[in-house]
Amino acid sequence: MPGKPIDWIRPEIRELSAYHVADATGMVKLDAMENPYRLPDEVLRQWQQDLLTADLNRYPDPQAGALQQKLKQIMQVPEGQGMVLGNGSDELIQMLALAVAAPGRCILSFEPGFVMYSMISRFTGMNYIGVPLADDFTLDMDKTREAIEQNQPAIIFIAYPNNPTGNLFDADAIGEIIRMAPGLVVIDEAYHPFAFASFMPTLAEYGHLLVMRTVSKMGLAGLRLGYLCGDAELINEVNKVRLPYNINVLTQYSARFILDNAGFLDGQAEMIRSDRDKMLKHMTLLDGVEVFPSQANFILFRLKHADADKVFDSLHDQGVLIKNMNSPGVLHNCLRVTVGTSEENHAFLFALEQALNS
Ligand code: PMP
């Protein structure tokens, strides 16, 4: 019997470090792939007015039916497909893992990749298989085929575009993975607003394919709302592990209102894409910086001569917060910057040049 209270915590949980979020007070915040733009004034005013009618004394609609209908229509979810909503797509990953978890089962994804796939595998007592990407961050199909055959994963997560590398994997290679997968395949399209590619239109072709998206990167990270689409019968099962009322009243109201007035979001995404391309161009010209192509709202880059930890610290001292990805292996000496407003991007580029020249 465990002695101390803490001994009751499973060893694999005690080994984990909690997901770290850096303090961004007073900083130019380019670390978390947020949209830098706020709601336009007029939309903000109407939204506040609309919220006056929200019934805070009542539980929210448990299925968030009206919001689901709106999302299906605006996001062009094919007719007849099911949908379940999560408190951010993080919660959907957790729901999927809870729904399939059983001794000996595993989740498979790619490394470097989004850290929550492996963390949630651990939370739910599942094994995690991280298949290494090739050095240019494309899918290594030999390794992928072998890992799928050997491990028979219950779920394969494919981020499209990938975080933290920013690239879109080859669609034909993903097609092959979908066809050979023994279990579920989830295409995580968190960065969809910045990439002209999606598996949403192909959903009806495969009963085991799911497409997951979030409103976070398109400008509504504070609402915490993700959606998972796919075969209605399968979604119905995933829905059973969802806690009741997971999408709160304010989020349901706000998301419905904003989606009804969503024109400005496309304009913001377009600005971010155009600023991303300008930033990529600028960074490519910097001596000693290797820049990786991006179809997302962030850029991964490697410092060829300077030390990434020191450059990260120097940027921090200059008031610019980005993400330090430096770790042994393919992300050696790498940093990741989110595309912000033009002013923020200039502040970052100026600070980076200062750091490299110091
Ligand atoms: N998927 C990917 C690939 C991500 O990078 C992120 C956030 N960084 C998420 C999902 C989670 O997004 P959210 O929980 O905000 O919906």
Side-chain angles (χ1 to χ4, degrees):
M1 284 283 282
K4 295 189 288 240
I6 204 169
D7 293 335
W8 286 92
I9 307 293
R10 286 183 278 140
E12 65 270 29
I13 302 297
R14 289 183 68 183
E15 270 168 27
L16 288 170
S17 340
Y19 188 81
H20 174 70
V21 179
D23 179 14
T25 316
M27 306 285 284
V28 173
K29 189 175 185 318
L30 301 175
D31 64 329
M33 287 82 107
E34 293 144 329
N35 173 337
Y37 303 107
R38 293 167 55 93
L39 297 181
D41 286 346
E42 189 45 37
V43 178
L44 194 63
R45 256 196 303 277
Q46 283 175 25
W47 166 65
Q48 284 171 338
Q49 200 61 35
D50 197 63
L51 275 184
L52 294 176
T53 61
D55 290 326
L56 290 186
N57 56 321
R58 300 286 177 201
Y59 282 112
D61 170 358
Q63 304 286 347
L67 176 56
Q68 279 202 31
Q69 283 315 317
K70 195 133 284 177
L71 279 166
K72 281 184 176 171
Q73 177 206 335
I74 291 186
M75 303 304 171
Q76 294 169 6
V77 178
E79 218 25 61
Q81 296 294 307
M83 179 184 276
V84 58
L85 305 184
N87 190 329
S89 42
D90 286 344
E91 194 194 30
L92 291 167
I93 302 170
Q94 190 182 52
M95 281 161 55
L96 282 159
L98 281 173
V100 302
R105 287 195 177 177
C106 74
I107 284 178
L108 182 147
S109 193
F110 302 90
E111 293 296 328
F114 181 41
V115 66
M116 291 314 287
Y117 306 142
S118 58
M119 285 188 78
I120 289 173
S121 303
R122 285 223 206 177
F123 300 165
T124 53
M126 296 186 77
N127 297 325
Y128 173 76
I129 311 292
V131 180
L133 296 174
D135 285 347
D136 60 356
F137 301 136
T138 56
L139 291 168
D140 182 331
M141 285 308 284
D142 287 341
K143 285 196 182 126
T144 303
R145 285 185 205 104
E146 197 186 314
I148 294 175
E149 268 161 30
Q150 245 177 39
N151 298 288
Q152 298 289 301
I155 309 179
I156 301 174
F157 282 100
I158 306 175
Y160 187 74
N162 190 39
N163 171 18
T165 57
N167 57 317
L168 277 172
F169 298 131
D170 178 55
D172 290 339
I174 294 180
E176 188 186 333
I177 294 172
I178 295 170
R179 285 186 292 278
M180 77 178 295
L184 313 183
V185 177
V186 180
I187 310 290
D188 179 349
E189 298 187 351
Y191 300 97
H192 170 257
F194 316 105
F196 293 102
S198 172
F199 278 80
M200 191 71 93
T202 68
L203 269 185
E205 290 172 34
Y206 308 100
H208 65 305
L209 178 65
L210 296 157
V211 169
M212 185 170 73
R213 291 198 190 154
T214 173
V215 303
S216 294
K217 315 300 172 181
M218 64 189 232
L220 305 171
L223 290 185
R224 307 304 296 131
L225 177 66
Y227 53 105
L228 180 74
C229 309
D231 178 73
E233 213 180 336
L234 183 58
I235 291 285
N236 192 37
E237 296 304 319
V238 177
N239 190 39
K240 291 179 186 170
V241 301
R242 183 179 58 80
L243 294 178
Y245 316 121
N246 64 329
I247 311 299
N248 71 66
V249 167
L250 296 179
T251 296
Q252 291 196 31
Y253 252 77
S254 305
R256 273 166 56 194
F257 172 79
I258 293 166
L259 290 172
D260 269 338
N261 297 273
F264 69 93
L265 290 174
D266 289 341
Q268 291 182 351
E270 195 181 317
M271 272 195 287
I272 292 168
R273 287 193 302 265
S274 144
D275 284 341
R276 170 195 67 203
D277 294 343
K278 279 187 207 152
M279 212 152 129
L280 271 167
K281 235 186 206 162
H282 189 126
M283 289 170 72
T284 310
L285 298 175
L286 295 178
D287 200 24
V289 178
E290 182 184 6
V291 187
F292 298 101
S294 171
Q295 303 296 318
N297 64 339
F298 57 86
I299 296 171
L300 182 75
F301 59 102
R302 174 178 286 122
L303 302 177
K304 290 195 266 193
H305 315 303
D307 178 84
D309 294 343
K310 287 197 181 129
V311 170
F312 174 82
D313 288 343
S314 163
L315 286 167
H316 195 272
D317 292 345
Q318 295 177 74
V320 179
L321 180 66
I322 63 169
K323 182 92 176 172
N324 188 354
M325 305 301 304
N326 186 15
S327 59
V330 281
L331 290 180
H332 174 68
N333 234 16
C334 284
L335 299 168
R336 186 191 69 198
V337 60
T338 301
V339 180
T341 61
S342 295
E343 298 77 53
E344 288 171 331
N345 301 338
H346 282 125
F348 158 72
L349 290 168
F350 179 80
L352 178 62
E353 288 186 42
Q354 292 289 110
L356 291 175
N357 294 329
S358 66

